[in-house]
């Protein structure tokens, strides 16, 4: 193979194809599919990934430019990952390079730097060599140097350099460089005992410090960093260097991992004896692992049912068979607590990947995987790309979490990627959750793609699930209580304070969407066509649907009960904190929200403080709902259970139910029994009543009915297409053209256009309508929603319709963003 097909790292539609380069003879056999290379491209140097190899014969008879550089001896991506990238780019409609780059650690995203080279055939006269000998020699050796470096070294020859560049005898060319490399440490290696004795004997008596160093090495012959040795002996690295110069000791640069957990000790943990229910649950997973054939499971277990122990034992079986495992957990639950469970069981075999690592730490954890030094990767979403080559198992904990979907391009969902990767490897996938997403639940119940359903309905050791009380805030208002805390919650907090027990308070508020709600009866306006909460627009003083564009005026009194207490709704964690301090003097509160957790490590610090019982209350947004396990928490309070119900998103009910169930699971996980109090204006809503009975099936049955009527997932699928531009008429016209073209393409493939008829293959296009964020940075935003079901390849049809708009889009500077299977409808 003499030709490499390269995807260059320029994310545009024009460059979203391979370009051919010849492989220079010295790199023959080194350049592989998945190699990272630097290539010349229209006068620039670019980084690229080799996605294919070919023979001269297969290529057009043009003269190819050679690859400029091979960036790594071992390709950072495998052929399997390159194929996966191609699949992602088709599935989520993004340029291939964007998908490939998402798989690489930031350290490997090369940047181009300019270097000075002698031009071909350039020569220097004897006279020039006489005047500027050092500089000319340096140039003639042909080593590329940066202009600034040359100027620094030869400040007196600045004018000459400028002249030669102007004459074209020197030229600046780009070269791609890594942003970051491995960390090396200068390390001392002691010689043999015999050599050491001799070195000591030969050392002049006055070199006292050097004597000390050698004496120390005689006692401690293991390799030691120069810095550390100097520190241990109260000397300087110069002393140690002097010994190296004498040839008494060896000093070499040694690669050292930047390990974020280097100073932590993880006590070893042995597998637990499984309960009968756990043993039954794990059996099909172990059988699948032994068969080495691809399979997937939904492990549907209530909080505290022992799912994590099953993950651990499944991983164990996977490792025993010589294969590797990936565990995904939501970013937010990647707390030391979670990491500890994996490190304690599998020790140094574990690499941890999450966004709070520095680029260097992340790169080193990634290298542990690539170089086969780690067999288990625990991490957030992007750990799904861990470069294992013998993958046996992928576990996704809390599979319903929205953080598994990336909100920027590539807008992939880690769950779908996991199943695709597992298929390639013949690996098993275990999706775990107490509150599975409706998509996964429906798939497992139907057995789509052979997915198995494994229920685990009881907590380990029959610890009871906490009792849940629902407080109707409309009643509180009637009784004249306008405070944030209902009488029940007030009482419960007072009681916990007296007993010295701890509490978690959740303020269920996210997003910036405002909705209008009646505080007397809980009425909220919904779109009659989409069953979606209408969003309040301050400017126009009306309420609008962000799916279909329906609008109505803001009501002055409640249409349902005529109460004047109707207004838009929302309160912040800071206000709750103040109110707590006023109502319960002396109460110790830790507030955790986006404002208090931006600093690196702050998240962990707050949780440690709370664990050590230096606070009574942990108050926060969703962040306090997940994965936390504190023995003294006996009360969970939810302040505004309704807020998330009213988001303009068809998953609002599902999200609310999941969040409330999760947070309820924080109470009474150990010996002390727990209690949950949920304050709401809508006490009959199934999302809320189902939490009371820990009744997932009950909730799902009702919710699925609604989804079916409106054709939402799992009964239909969606693609969101957002157009943005300064001009509204332009947006409307392009949006309409897109909708029309797409419908025509669908019709040409005999796809129905109406969800309510019985046809199997249907595609509907809603919009264009103004986006929920109607204007961003002076650009207006309009969106179309594509809703489809059956075997329709809507991604392909949408891509086709978009390609036909290409000219209009490019000429007018219109921006298009496509979200396939969107998770956030904002
Ligand atoms: P989940 O992941 O479903 O929330 P965990 O795996 O965290 O559940 O288990 C809940 C608690 O029960 C943990 O404290 C765990 O150590 C304990 N546990 C799990 N399995 C067993 C078992 N077989 N025997 C005893 N304790 C167990
Ligand atoms: Zn009302
Ligand atoms: Zn609507």
């Amino acid at each position: 193979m003499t030709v490499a097909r390269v995807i260059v790292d320029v994310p545009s539609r024009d460059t979203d194809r391979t370009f051919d380069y010849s492989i220079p003879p010295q790199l023959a056999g080194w350049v592989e599919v998945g190699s990272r290379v630097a290539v010349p491209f229209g006068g620039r140097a670019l980084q690229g990934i080799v996605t294919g190899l070919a023979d001269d014969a297969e290529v057009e008879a043009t003269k190819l430019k050679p690859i400029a550089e091979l960036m790594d001896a071992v390709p950072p991506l495998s052929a399997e990952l390159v194929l996966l990238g191609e699949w992602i780019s088709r599935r989520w409609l993004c340029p291939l390079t964007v998908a490939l780059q998402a798989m690489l650690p930031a350290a490997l995203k090369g940047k181009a730097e300019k270097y000075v080279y002698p031009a071909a055939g350039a020569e220097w006269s004897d006279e020039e060599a006489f005047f500027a000998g050092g500089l000319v020699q340096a140039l003639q050796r042909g080593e590329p140097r940066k202009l600034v470096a040359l100027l620094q070294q030869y400040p007196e020859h600045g004018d000459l350099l400028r002249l030669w560049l102007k004459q074209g005898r020197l030229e600046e060319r780009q070269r791609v460089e890594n942003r970051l490399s491995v960390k090396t440490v200068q390390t001392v290696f002691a010689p043999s005992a015999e050599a050491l004795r001799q070195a000591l004997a030969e050392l002049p008596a006055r070199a006292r410090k050097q004597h000390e160093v050698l004496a120390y090495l005689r006692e401690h012959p293991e390799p030691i960093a120069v810095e550390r040795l100097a520190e241990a002996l109260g000397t300087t690295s110069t002393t140690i260097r002097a010994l190296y110069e004498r040839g008494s000791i060896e000093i070499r640069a040694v690669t050292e991992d930047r390990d974020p957990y280097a100073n932590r000790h993880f006590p070893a943990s042995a597998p637990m004896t499984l309960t009968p229910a756990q043993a039954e649950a794990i059996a099909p997973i172990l059988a699948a692992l032994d068969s080495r054939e691809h399979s997937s499971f939904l492990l549907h277990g209530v909080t505290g049912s022992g799912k994590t122990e099953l993950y651990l034992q499944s991983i164990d079986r996977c490792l025993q068979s010589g294969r590797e495992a990936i565990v995904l957990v939501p970013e937010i639950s990647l707390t030391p607590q979670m990491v500890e469970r994996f490190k304690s069981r599998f020790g140094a075999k574990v690499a941890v990947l999450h966004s709070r690592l520095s680029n260097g730490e992340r790169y080193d954890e990634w290298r542990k995987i690539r170089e086969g030094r780690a067999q288990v990767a625990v991490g957030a979403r992007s750990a799904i790309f861990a470069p294992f080559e013998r993958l046996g198992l992928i576990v996704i904990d809390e599979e319903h979490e929205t953080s598994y979907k990336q909100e920027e391009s590539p807008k992939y969902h880690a769950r779908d990627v996991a199943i695709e990767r597992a298929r390639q490897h013949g690996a098993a996938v275990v999706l775990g959750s107490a509150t599975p997403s409706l998509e996964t639940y429906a798939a497992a119940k139907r057995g789509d793609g052979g997915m198995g359903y494994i229920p685990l309905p009881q907590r380990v050791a029959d610890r009871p699930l906490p009792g849940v009380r629902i407080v109707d805030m409309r009643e509180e208002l009637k009784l004249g209580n306008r405070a944030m805390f209902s009488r029940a919650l007030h009482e419960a907090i007072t009681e916990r304070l007296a007993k010295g027990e701890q509490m978690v308070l959740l303020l269920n508020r996210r997003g910036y969407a405002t909705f209008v709600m009646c505080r007397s009866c809980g009425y909220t306006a919904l779109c009659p066509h989409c069953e979606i909460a209408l969003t309040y627009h301050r400017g126009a003083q009306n309420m609008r649907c962000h799916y279909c564009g329906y609008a109505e005026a803001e009501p002055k009194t409640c249409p349902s009960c005529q109460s004047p207490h109707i207004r838009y709704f929302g309160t912040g964690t800071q206000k709750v904190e103040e109110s707590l301090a006023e109502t319960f003097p002396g109460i110790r509160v830790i507030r955790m929200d986006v404002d208090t957790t931006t600093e690196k490590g702050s998240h962990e610090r707050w949780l440690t403080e709370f664990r050590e019982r230096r606070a009574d209350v942990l108050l926060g947004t969703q962040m306090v709902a997940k994965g936390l396990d504190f023995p003294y928490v006996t009360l969970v309070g939810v302040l505004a259970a309704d807020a998330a119900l009213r988001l303009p998103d068809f998953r609002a009910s599902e999200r609310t139910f999941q969040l409330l169930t999760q947070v309820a699971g924080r109470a009474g996980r150990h010996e002390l029994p727990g209690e949950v109090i949920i304050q709401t204006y809508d006490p009959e809503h199934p999302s809320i009543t189902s939490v009371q009975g820990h009744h997932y099936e009950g909730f799902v049955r009702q919710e699925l009915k609604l989804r079916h009527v409106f054709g939402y997932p799992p009964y239909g699928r969606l693609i969101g297409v957002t157009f943005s531009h300064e001009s509204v008429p332009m947006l409307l016209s392009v949006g309409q053209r897109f909708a029309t073209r797409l419908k025509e393409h669908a019709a040409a493939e005999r796809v129905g256009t109406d969800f309510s008829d019985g046809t199997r293959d249907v595609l509907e296009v809603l919009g264009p309508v103004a986006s929920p964020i109607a204007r961003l940075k002076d650009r207006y935003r309009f969106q179309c929603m594509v809703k489809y079901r059956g075997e329709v390849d809507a991604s392909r049809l949408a891509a086709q319709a978009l390609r036909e708009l290409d000219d209009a889009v490019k000429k007018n500077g219109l921006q298009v963003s496509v979200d396939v299977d969107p998770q956030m409808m904002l």
Side-chain angles (χ1 to χ4, degrees), residues 272-275 278 301-311 341 397 456 460 463 629 669-670:
M272 292 175 175
T273 308
L274 298 181
T275 64
Q278 279 175 314
V302 296
T303 53
S305 58
K307 295 187 292 296
T308 310
E309 183 60 30
L310 297 190
Y311 304 154
R341 290 183 78 171
D397 189 31
L456 204 53
V460 173
R463 279 177 203 137
D629 189 354
R669 291 173 69 84
H670 297 260

mmCIF file of all heavy atoms in Angstrom, residues 272-275 278 301-311 341 397 456 460 463 629 669-670, ligand 1:
data_model
loop_
_atom_site.group_PDB
_atom_site.id
_atom_site.type_symbol
_atom_site.label_atom_id
_atom_site.label_comp_id
_atom_site.label_asym_id
_atom_site.label_seq_id
_atom_site.Cartn_x
_atom_site.Cartn_y
_atom_site.Cartn_z
ATOM 1 N N MET A 272 -18.824 -9.716 46.940
ATOM 2 C CA MET A 272 -19.765 -10.105 47.989
ATOM 3 C C MET A 272 -20.503 -11.366 47.561
ATOM 4 O O MET A 272 -20.639 -11.641 46.368
ATOM 5 C CB MET A 272 -20.803 -9.007 48.182
ATOM 6 C CG MET A 272 -20.224 -7.746 48.770
ATOM 7 S SD MET A 272 -21.506 -6.477 48.819
ATOM 8 C CE MET A 272 -20.622 -5.191 49.667
ATOM 9 N N THR A 273 -20.994 -12.087 48.542
ATOM 10 C CA THR A 273 -21.868 -13.211 48.216
ATOM 11 C C THR A 273 -23.202 -12.627 47.775
ATOM 12 O O THR A 273 -23.823 -11.853 48.505
ATOM 13 C CB THR A 273 -22.092 -14.090 49.465
ATOM 14 O OG1 THR A 273 -20.801 -14.412 49.993
ATOM 15 C CG2 THR A 273 -22.843 -15.351 49.103
ATOM 16 N N LEU A 274 -23.619 -12.987 46.584
ATOM 17 C CA LEU A 274 -24.818 -12.366 46.043
ATOM 18 C C LEU A 274 -26.068 -12.893 46.737
ATOM 19 O O LEU A 274 -26.123 -14.051 47.152
ATOM 20 C CB LEU A 274 -24.920 -12.623 44.537
ATOM 21 C CG LEU A 274 -23.790 -12.038 43.687
ATOM 22 C CD1 LEU A 274 -24.030 -12.344 42.213
ATOM 23 C CD2 LEU A 274 -23.653 -10.534 43.903
ATOM 24 N N THR A 275 -27.054 -12.024 46.845
ATOM 25 C CA THR A 275 -28.360 -12.466 47.348
ATOM 26 C C THR A 275 -28.989 -13.330 46.249
ATOM 27 O O THR A 275 -28.593 -13.242 45.089
ATOM 28 C CB THR A 275 -29.272 -11.259 47.607
ATOM 29 O OG1 THR A 275 -29.524 -10.614 46.347
ATOM 30 C CG2 THR A 275 -28.635 -10.272 48.568
ATOM 31 N N GLN A 278 -29.986 -11.230 43.338
ATOM 32 C CA GLN A 278 -28.841 -10.768 42.541
ATOM 33 C C GLN A 278 -28.285 -11.906 41.683
ATOM 34 O O GLN A 278 -27.932 -11.704 40.524
ATOM 35 C CB GLN A 278 -27.728 -10.249 43.458
ATOM 36 C CG GLN A 278 -27.936 -8.827 43.962
ATOM 37 C CD GLN A 278 -26.846 -8.428 44.961
ATOM 38 O OE1 GLN A 278 -26.514 -9.204 45.870
ATOM 39 N NE2 GLN A 278 -26.307 -7.240 44.797
ATOM 40 N N GLY A 301 -33.213 -2.047 38.323
ATOM 41 C CA GLY A 301 -33.193 -2.316 39.757
ATOM 42 C C GLY A 301 -33.391 -1.051 40.558
ATOM 43 O O GLY A 301 -32.774 -0.024 40.257
ATOM 44 N N VAL A 302 -34.219 -1.117 41.573
ATOM 45 C CA VAL A 302 -34.471 0.072 42.394
ATOM 46 C C VAL A 302 -33.161 0.547 43.030
ATOM 47 O O VAL A 302 -32.182 -0.197 43.080
ATOM 48 C CB VAL A 302 -35.522 -0.203 43.509
ATOM 49 C CG1 VAL A 302 -36.859 -0.542 42.888
ATOM 50 C CG2 VAL A 302 -35.057 -1.311 44.441
ATOM 51 N N THR A 303 -33.141 1.787 43.502
ATOM 52 C CA THR A 303 -31.925 2.315 44.130
ATOM 53 C C THR A 303 -31.576 1.436 45.332
ATOM 54 O O THR A 303 -32.440 1.088 46.126
ATOM 55 C CB THR A 303 -32.124 3.759 44.626
ATOM 56 O OG1 THR A 303 -33.283 3.784 45.460
ATOM 57 C CG2 THR A 303 -32.314 4.716 43.482
ATOM 58 N N GLY A 304 -30.315 1.045 45.422
ATOM 59 C CA GLY A 304 -29.887 0.222 46.546
ATOM 60 C C GLY A 304 -30.173 -1.263 46.367
ATOM 61 O O GLY A 304 -30.089 -2.035 47.310
ATOM 62 N N SER A 305 -30.488 -1.687 45.123
ATOM 63 C CA SER A 305 -30.792 -3.107 44.911
ATOM 64 C C SER A 305 -29.530 -3.920 44.643
ATOM 65 O O SER A 305 -29.592 -5.132 44.487
ATOM 66 C CB SER A 305 -31.772 -3.271 43.743
ATOM 67 O OG SER A 305 -31.235 -2.697 42.568
ATOM 68 N N GLY A 306 -28.386 -3.238 44.607
ATOM 69 C CA GLY A 306 -27.135 -3.971 44.419
ATOM 70 C C GLY A 306 -26.709 -4.083 42.964
ATOM 71 O O GLY A 306 -26.016 -5.020 42.592
ATOM 72 N N LYS A 307 -27.081 -3.117 42.167
ATOM 73 C CA LYS A 307 -26.694 -3.132 40.745
ATOM 74 C C LYS A 307 -25.176 -2.988 40.607
ATOM 75 O O LYS A 307 -24.557 -3.684 39.821
ATOM 76 C CB LYS A 307 -27.373 -1.990 39.981
ATOM 77 C CG LYS A 307 -28.886 -2.103 39.902
ATOM 78 C CD LYS A 307 -29.482 -1.040 38.985
ATOM 79 C CE LYS A 307 -29.362 0.373 39.533
ATOM 80 N NZ LYS A 307 -30.096 0.612 40.785
ATOM 81 N N THR A 308 -24.611 -2.068 41.384
ATOM 82 C CA THR A 308 -23.178 -1.807 41.227
ATOM 83 C C THR A 308 -22.364 -3.066 41.532
ATOM 84 O O THR A 308 -21.382 -3.358 40.849
ATOM 85 C CB THR A 308 -22.751 -0.629 42.114
ATOM 86 O OG1 THR A 308 -23.650 0.454 41.882
ATOM 87 C CG2 THR A 308 -21.343 -0.184 41.794
ATOM 88 N N GLU A 309 -22.784 -3.816 42.536
ATOM 89 C CA GLU A 309 -22.081 -5.065 42.839
ATOM 90 C C GLU A 309 -22.171 -6.030 41.644
ATOM 91 O O GLU A 309 -21.204 -6.729 41.330
ATOM 92 C CB GLU A 309 -22.668 -5.705 44.100
ATOM 93 C CG GLU A 309 -21.975 -6.980 44.563
ATOM 94 C CD GLU A 309 -20.492 -6.798 44.892
ATOM 95 O OE1 GLU A 309 -20.106 -5.692 45.320
ATOM 96 O OE2 GLU A 309 -19.711 -7.765 44.715
ATOM 97 N N LEU A 310 -23.282 -6.008 40.958
ATOM 98 C CA LEU A 310 -23.415 -6.870 39.770
ATOM 99 C C LEU A 310 -22.511 -6.392 38.637
ATOM 100 O O LEU A 310 -21.920 -7.202 37.921
ATOM 101 C CB LEU A 310 -24.864 -6.928 39.283
ATOM 102 C CG LEU A 310 -25.877 -7.535 40.256
ATOM 103 C CD1 LEU A 310 -27.214 -7.749 39.553
ATOM 104 C CD2 LEU A 310 -25.377 -8.849 40.829
ATOM 105 N N TYR A 311 -22.401 -5.074 38.486
ATOM 106 C CA TYR A 311 -21.459 -4.557 37.480
ATOM 107 C C TYR A 311 -20.060 -5.090 37.794
ATOM 108 O O TYR A 311 -19.344 -5.569 36.920
ATOM 109 C CB TYR A 311 -21.369 -3.018 37.489
ATOM 110 C CG TYR A 311 -22.654 -2.248 37.294
ATOM 111 C CD1 TYR A 311 -22.775 -0.951 37.806
ATOM 112 C CD2 TYR A 311 -23.724 -2.776 36.589
ATOM 113 C CE1 TYR A 311 -23.930 -0.214 37.633
ATOM 114 C CE2 TYR A 311 -24.889 -2.036 36.415
ATOM 115 C CZ TYR A 311 -24.983 -0.750 36.942
ATOM 116 O OH TYR A 311 -26.116 -0.014 36.773
ATOM 117 N N ARG A 341 -15.116 2.473 44.465
ATOM 118 C CA ARG A 341 -15.641 1.110 44.376
ATOM 119 C C ARG A 341 -14.947 0.324 43.272
ATOM 120 O O ARG A 341 -14.711 -0.869 43.409
ATOM 121 C CB ARG A 341 -17.146 1.132 44.145
ATOM 122 C CG ARG A 341 -17.895 1.620 45.374
ATOM 123 C CD ARG A 341 -19.385 1.578 45.206
ATOM 124 N NE ARG A 341 -19.932 0.238 45.351
ATOM 125 C CZ ARG A 341 -21.249 -0.004 45.409
ATOM 126 N NH1 ARG A 341 -22.104 0.998 45.339
ATOM 127 N NH2 ARG A 341 -21.688 -1.231 45.531
ATOM 128 N N ASP A 397 -24.303 2.940 33.681
ATOM 129 C CA ASP A 397 -25.071 3.120 34.907
ATOM 130 C C ASP A 397 -25.973 4.335 34.749
ATOM 131 O O ASP A 397 -25.587 5.311 34.106
ATOM 132 C CB ASP A 397 -24.104 3.320 36.084
ATOM 133 C CG ASP A 397 -24.848 3.295 37.408
ATOM 134 O OD1 ASP A 397 -25.873 2.587 37.510
ATOM 135 O OD2 ASP A 397 -24.415 3.987 38.346
ATOM 136 N N LEU A 456 -34.906 -6.120 39.181
ATOM 137 C CA LEU A 456 -34.327 -6.321 40.513
ATOM 138 C C LEU A 456 -35.120 -5.401 41.450
ATOM 139 O O LEU A 456 -34.683 -4.312 41.796
ATOM 140 C CB LEU A 456 -32.841 -5.936 40.466
ATOM 141 C CG LEU A 456 -31.863 -6.515 41.485
ATOM 142 C CD1 LEU A 456 -31.926 -8.022 41.548
ATOM 143 C CD2 LEU A 456 -30.451 -6.072 41.151
ATOM 144 N N VAL A 460 -31.237 -4.544 48.662
ATOM 145 C CA VAL A 460 -30.441 -5.556 49.347
ATOM 146 C C VAL A 460 -30.850 -5.587 50.818
ATOM 147 O O VAL A 460 -31.143 -4.542 51.406
ATOM 148 C CB VAL A 460 -28.941 -5.204 49.222
ATOM 149 C CG1 VAL A 460 -28.095 -6.142 50.063
ATOM 150 C CG2 VAL A 460 -28.506 -5.248 47.770
ATOM 151 N N ARG A 463 -33.946 -3.715 53.033
ATOM 152 C CA ARG A 463 -34.115 -2.384 53.593
ATOM 153 C C ARG A 463 -35.299 -1.742 52.893
ATOM 154 O O ARG A 463 -35.412 -1.823 51.669
ATOM 155 C CB ARG A 463 -32.869 -1.533 53.330
ATOM 156 C CG ARG A 463 -31.785 -1.834 54.332
ATOM 157 C CD ARG A 463 -30.523 -1.050 54.022
ATOM 158 N NE ARG A 463 -29.405 -1.741 54.615
ATOM 159 C CZ ARG A 463 -28.228 -1.944 54.028
ATOM 160 N NH1 ARG A 463 -28.010 -1.480 52.825
ATOM 161 N NH2 ARG A 463 -27.273 -2.589 54.638
ATOM 162 N N ASP A 629 -24.515 8.708 48.736
ATOM 163 C CA ASP A 629 -24.859 7.688 49.720
ATOM 164 C C ASP A 629 -24.331 8.129 51.082
ATOM 165 O O ASP A 629 -23.166 7.953 51.393
ATOM 166 C CB ASP A 629 -24.215 6.362 49.276
ATOM 167 C CG ASP A 629 -24.701 5.190 50.113
ATOM 168 O OD1 ASP A 629 -25.445 5.421 51.094
ATOM 169 O OD2 ASP A 629 -24.328 4.058 49.802
ATOM 170 N N ARG A 669 -30.689 4.932 53.342
ATOM 171 C CA ARG A 669 -29.972 3.871 52.637
ATOM 172 C C ARG A 669 -29.277 2.935 53.598
ATOM 173 O O ARG A 669 -28.789 1.899 53.213
ATOM 174 C CB ARG A 669 -28.964 4.487 51.670
ATOM 175 C CG ARG A 669 -29.624 5.200 50.508
ATOM 176 C CD ARG A 669 -28.627 5.943 49.673
ATOM 177 N NE ARG A 669 -27.751 5.036 48.938
ATOM 178 C CZ ARG A 669 -28.068 4.492 47.766
ATOM 179 N NH1 ARG A 669 -29.222 4.757 47.218
ATOM 180 N NH2 ARG A 669 -27.218 3.695 47.149
ATOM 181 N N HIS A 670 -29.187 3.319 54.861
ATOM 182 C CA HIS A 670 -28.468 2.483 55.826
ATOM 183 C C HIS A 670 -29.403 2.090 56.967
ATOM 184 O O HIS A 670 -30.569 1.831 56.724
ATOM 185 C CB HIS A 670 -27.200 3.213 56.270
ATOM 186 C CG HIS A 670 -26.263 3.422 55.115
ATOM 187 N ND1 HIS A 670 -25.182 2.629 54.870
ATOM 188 C CD2 HIS A 670 -26.301 4.319 54.100
ATOM 189 C CE1 HIS A 670 -24.581 3.021 53.755
ATOM 190 N NE2 HIS A 670 -25.235 4.054 53.274
HETATM 191 P P1 LIG B 1 -27.324 0.168 43.500
HETATM 192 O O1 LIG B 1 -26.138 0.293 42.593
HETATM 193 O O2 LIG B 1 -28.432 -0.650 42.903
HETATM 194 O O3 LIG B 1 -27.819 1.467 44.070
HETATM 195 P P2 LIG B 1 -25.411 -0.935 45.356
HETATM 196 O O4 LIG B 1 -24.646 -1.920 44.539
HETATM 197 O O5 LIG B 1 -24.778 0.375 45.643
HETATM 198 O O6 LIG B 1 -26.863 -0.719 44.742
HETATM 199 O O7 LIG B 1 -25.829 -1.662 46.715
HETATM 200 C C1 LIG B 1 -26.482 -0.992 47.763
HETATM 201 C C2 LIG B 1 -25.811 -1.346 49.075
HETATM 202 O O8 LIG B 1 -25.941 -2.749 49.324
HETATM 203 C C3 LIG B 1 -24.334 -1.034 49.077
HETATM 204 O O9 LIG B 1 -23.974 -0.538 50.327
HETATM 205 C C4 LIG B 1 -23.691 -2.393 48.803
HETATM 206 O O10 LIG B 1 -22.409 -2.487 49.394
HETATM 207 C C5 LIG B 1 -24.657 -3.358 49.480
HETATM 208 N N1 LIG B 1 -24.706 -4.662 48.822
HETATM 209 C C6 LIG B 1 -24.843 -4.909 47.507
HETATM 210 N N2 LIG B 1 -24.860 -6.229 47.252
HETATM 211 C C7 LIG B 1 -24.727 -6.838 48.446
HETATM 212 C C8 LIG B 1 -24.674 -8.225 48.859
HETATM 213 N N3 LIG B 1 -24.777 -9.224 47.986
HETATM 214 N N4 LIG B 1 -24.538 -8.466 50.178
HETATM 215 C C9 LIG B 1 -24.441 -7.463 51.080
HETATM 216 N N5 LIG B 1 -24.481 -6.159 50.760
HETATM 217 C C10 LIG B 1 -24.627 -5.833 49.447
#
